[in-house]
């Protein structure tokens, strides 16, 4: 044993330091609730417009408070739902801090000195002209998003300072489609863009006063109706137009809203039931196996896909995922319900 002691000592000295327990816990929370959209390593864009959370420039610019607000309050009206427990989401305050610690574990760049970023007065009209050429193809008209993140979201603008916006525009996000405009635009043009984006700011909205209950009540729509026409179609996904046609025809089916519950009262498909993607297993005793079930979310496939996978793994065989998601449905002007009942 004495002969082995020096070798054991060398191995111990050469081993990596144990990981911070906050990071370990945060990794588990992140993998369960965030990775399906932002990627296992925060690389982003696994789901539409889900930005890269471990991009070094983003981590350098984003304060813990910025990350905390995004996790708790989300980006209402987008696929990024409120995740804070106080808003019906799955994350306790302690888990929010753990996710932040996990994301920070990727950071190698020092924090940005945003206090030193000078933002001069800009002109909205000039900023619009630049935006129409340089930005609209990625962030859409008036910053509403698609194919990349929405930069006019009230929650985003409530926590992003002018210095944050200017730094993101000037320095970009290397490794992503967001270029550094300091190389191609004047300082004035960048300040004009900041003025334009800030002009889109609106008041944030408090979370819902009520949330859907776990008692689903009447589950099947049109219990005596025919099976939906898409039942004969192969594949995992059902087009939104086909689902609407099934509803219009009074088809017998079940609709599951896989988003976190804070989104449900704002708007949901008529007759849909709130069954968050991370808790679908809890609702299985209430869900029949003899009716077609369609899951949907806003991602448009990430959360609804995970919900469908849970059903399939538990012996449900008549399951589809809404192809385009609820935001597409809403954009068509098709019927939606509000409140906590289907």
């Amino acid at each position: 044993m004495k002969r082995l002691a020096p070798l054991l000592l060398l191995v111990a000295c050469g081993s990596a330091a144990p990981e911070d327990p906050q990071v370990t816990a945060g990794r588990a929370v992140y993998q369960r609730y965030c990775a399906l959209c932002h990627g296992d390593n925060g690389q982003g864009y696994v789901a539409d417009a889900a930005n890269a959370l471990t991009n070094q420039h983003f981590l350098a610019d984003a304060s813990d408070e910025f990350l905390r607000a995004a996790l708790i309050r989300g980006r209402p009206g987008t696929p990024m739902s409120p995740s804070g427990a106080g808003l019906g989401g799955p994350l306790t305050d302690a888990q929010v801090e753990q996710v932040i610690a996990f994301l920070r574990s990727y950071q190698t760049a020092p924090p940005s000195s945003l206090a030193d970023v000078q933002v001069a007065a800009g002109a909205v009209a000039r900023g619009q002209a630049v935006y129409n050429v340089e930005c609209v193809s990625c962030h859409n008209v008036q910053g509403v998003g698609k194919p990349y993140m929405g930069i006019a979201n009230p929650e985003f603008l409530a926590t992003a300072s002018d210095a944050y916006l200017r730094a993101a525009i000037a320095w970009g996000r290397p490794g992503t489609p967001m270029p550094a405009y300091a190389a191609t635009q004047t300082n004035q043009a960048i300040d004009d863009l900041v003025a334009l984006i800030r002009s889109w700011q609106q008041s944030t909205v408090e979370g819902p006063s009520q949330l859907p209950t776990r008692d689903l009540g009447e589950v099947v729509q049109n219990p005596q109706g025919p099976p939906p026409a898409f039942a004969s179609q192969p594949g995992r996904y059902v087009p939104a137009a086909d689902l609407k046609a099934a509803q219009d025809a009074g088809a017998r089916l079940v609709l599951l809203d896989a988003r976190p519950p804070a989104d449900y009262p704002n708007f949901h498909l008529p007759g849909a039931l709130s069954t968050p993607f991370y808790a679908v297993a809890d609702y299985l005793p209430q869900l029949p196996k003899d009716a077609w079930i369609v899951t949907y979310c806003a991602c448009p496939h990430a959360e609804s896909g995970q919900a469908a996978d849970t059903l399939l793994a538990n012996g449900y065989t008549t399951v589809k995922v809404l192809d385009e998601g609820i935001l597409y449905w809403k954009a068509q002007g098709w019927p939606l319900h509000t409140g906590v009942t289907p």
Side-chain angles (χ1 to χ4, degrees):
M1 293 297 294
K2 289 183 179 180
R3 290 176 180 271
L4 294 177
L7 177 59
L8 293 173
L9 181 61
L10 286 173
V11 171
C13 291
S15 62
E19 184 174 68
D20 183 341
Q22 280 284 92
V23 173
T24 303
R27 177 180 290 103
V29 175
Y30 177 92
Q31 290 299 325
R32 182 175 183 186
Y33 300 113
C34 313
L36 75 168
C37 289
H38 293 280
D40 289 345
N41 300 301
Q43 71 271 23
Y45 305 109
V46 175
D48 293 356
N51 62 310
L53 299 179
T54 53
N55 178 273
Q56 290 302 308
H57 279 66
F58 171 75
L59 287 173
D61 292 350
S63 66
D64 282 3
E65 183 54 39
F66 180 94
L67 296 175
R68 189 175 297 116
L71 285 164
I72 293 173
R73 296 186 60 83
R75 302 284 186 251
T78 79
M80 177 66 181
S81 305
S83 294
L87 293 172
L91 302 187
T92 65
D93 290 347
Q95 288 174 317
V96 168
E97 299 308 313
Q98 290 165 355
V99 173
I100 292 173
F102 169 69
L103 294 176
R104 289 289 178 215
S105 72
Y106 283 86
Q107 185 174 349
T108 58
S112 301
S113 299
L114 293 182
D116 299 331
V117 175
Q118 300 298 313
V119 185
V124 170
R126 291 198 305 260
Q128 186 71 67
V130 177
Y131 184 90
N132 291 345
V133 174
E134 301 290 352
C135 314
V136 71
S137 63
C138 287
H139 297 290
N140 214 319
V141 178
Q142 290 192 306
V144 297
K146 286 285 187 93
Y148 300 108
M149 66 170 284
I151 54 176
N153 185 271
E155 290 290 346
F156 170 71
L157 289 178
T159 51
S161 66
D162 285 357
Y164 177 97
L165 296 175
R166 195 187 200 289
I169 296 167
W171 304 335
R173 298 284 185 249
T176 78
M178 178 64 185
Y181 282 103
T184 60
Q185 297 291 327
T186 66
N187 285 333
Q188 185 61 67
I190 293 173
D191 292 328
D192 292 339
L193 283 171
V194 172
L196 171 68
I197 295 168
R198 185 59 65 194
S199 74
W200 295 331
Q201 185 168 0
Q202 300 177 13
S203 299
T204 57
V205 178
E206 292 303 314
S209 58
Q210 283 186 287
L211 294 168
T213 69
R214 287 182 170 268
D215 182 0
L216 299 181
E218 182 63 48
V219 174
V220 180
Q221 296 185 27
N222 308 309
Q224 305 306 315
F230 59 71
S232 61
Q233 298 172 359
R236 179 178 177 85
Y237 301 107
V238 55
D242 289 359
L243 177 59
K244 182 168 187 305
Q247 284 198 309
D248 292 344
R252 183 176 188 269
L253 51 79
V254 178
L255 288 182
L256 300 185
D257 188 319
R259 301 172 297 167
D263 285 336
Y264 182 86
N266 295 329
F267 57 87
H268 54 269
L269 267 59
L273 308 165
S274 177
T275 56
F277 71 93
Y278 48 82
V280 170
D282 298 339
Y283 294 89
L284 295 179
Q286 301 180 66
L287 299 176
K289 290 186 175 179
D290 63 349
W292 275 92
I293 298 177
V294 178
T295 65
Y296 72 83
C297 63
C299 301
H301 295 149
E303 294 170 350
S304 54
Q306 186 164 314
D309 288 343
T310 299
L311 293 169
L312 293 168
N314 283 277
Y316 291 77
T317 58
T318 51
V319 179
K320 293 278 190 181
V321 175
L322 182 63
D323 195 6
E324 302 92 336
I326 191 173
L327 296 183
Y328 173 86
W329 184 287
K330 183 181 180 184
Q332 307 315 301
W334 294 341
L336 291 167
H337 282 188
T338 60
V340 296
T341 59

